[in-house]
Amino acid sequence: MKWPIVEESTSLSMRKTKIEYINRTTELIFDLKKCTACYQCVKACPKDALFKPEIPKGKKVHRKERVPFFQESLKCVFCGVCMTLCPFDAISMKLDGDNLDRDNLPLRLGNKIPEIEKVKMKKVLLVNPDFHNEFWDNILERIKVK
């Protein structure tokens, strides 16, 4: 068996990418009912792992075809920035079967991303508005927070 094992699945309500490594399993799940295809997650991804699907202008497609996707799922380092900055709570993550949230992500615990009060389109309200570091400032620049 060759590691990692990548399993992608899509239903009417979710798109899931599950990656099994030798000693851990990660899952990134898009809730297709909540995702509005705003692509803030795509813009924020520090590893450019998520992509916006190319849909010809004016063509009507099913909602699940508009949701961001991985072209190369192994580019994802499971940092949680996409989940943290989704204004519609459409992204969830699991690590070894346990749900992660904004407060228990490794980058949050490592003080690389701040404690967040609320996320809107192109607007992130922080518990501590004076929070800055190079990583976080670069993420905000990617989504063009003014």
Side-chain angles (χ1 to χ4, degrees):
M1 180 173 288
K2 188 175 177 181
W3 300 92
I5 300 168
V6 178
E7 182 182 312
E8 295 181 341
S9 60
T10 303
S11 69
L12 290 176
S13 62
M14 78 171 76
R15 174 180 287 157
K16 178 167 69 170
T17 301
K18 180 178 180 179
I19 304 174
E20 291 183 48
Y21 300 92
I22 292 173
N23 60 350
R24 73 178 341 164
T25 300
T26 62
E27 292 178 65
L28 181 69
I29 303 156
F30 281 90
D31 184 326
L32 302 180
K33 293 179 181 175
K34 292 181 180 179
C35 180
T36 65
C38 71
Y39 305 115
Q40 184 156 296
C41 58
V42 173
K43 294 173 190 169
C45 180
K47 295 295 184 178
D48 295 321
L50 288 171
F51 284 86
K52 175 182 175 180
E54 290 188 31
I55 300 168
K57 198 168 189 161
K59 182 178 179 186
K60 292 189 180 199
V61 297
H62 192 276
R63 173 177 277 205
K64 69 181 178 183
E65 294 179 45
R66 294 191 313 260
V67 173
F69 68 98
F70 291 122
Q71 279 187 334
E72 295 177 47
S73 53
L74 296 180
K75 277 181 127 179
C76 177
V77 295
F78 215 67
C79 66
V81 170
C82 58
M83 181 179 78
T84 299
L85 294 179
C86 178
F88 305 102
D89 292 322
I91 303 172
S92 59
M93 300 175 89
K94 290 184 180 183
L95 181 60
D96 297 328
D98 295 328
N99 289 322
L100 294 176
D101 61 35
R102 289 180 175 135
D103 295 327
N104 66 357
L105 290 167
L107 286 179
R108 171 70 192 103
L109 298 174
N111 208 32
K112 294 287 185 187
I113 56 177
E115 188 175 351
I116 294 177
E117 186 176 314
K118 190 168 188 169
V119 177
K120 297 180 180 181
M121 284 301 300
K122 298 184 182 182
K123 187 170 186 174
V124 180
L125 303 174
L126 306 179
V127 170
N128 174 7
D130 296 327
F131 182 93
H132 289 283
N133 68 35
E134 186 177 352
F135 177 80
W136 179 247
D137 292 344
N138 286 337
I139 296 297
L140 292 183
E141 180 61 31
R142 289 176 70 103
I143 65 170
K144 307 285 190 261
V145 171
K146 304 254 191 248

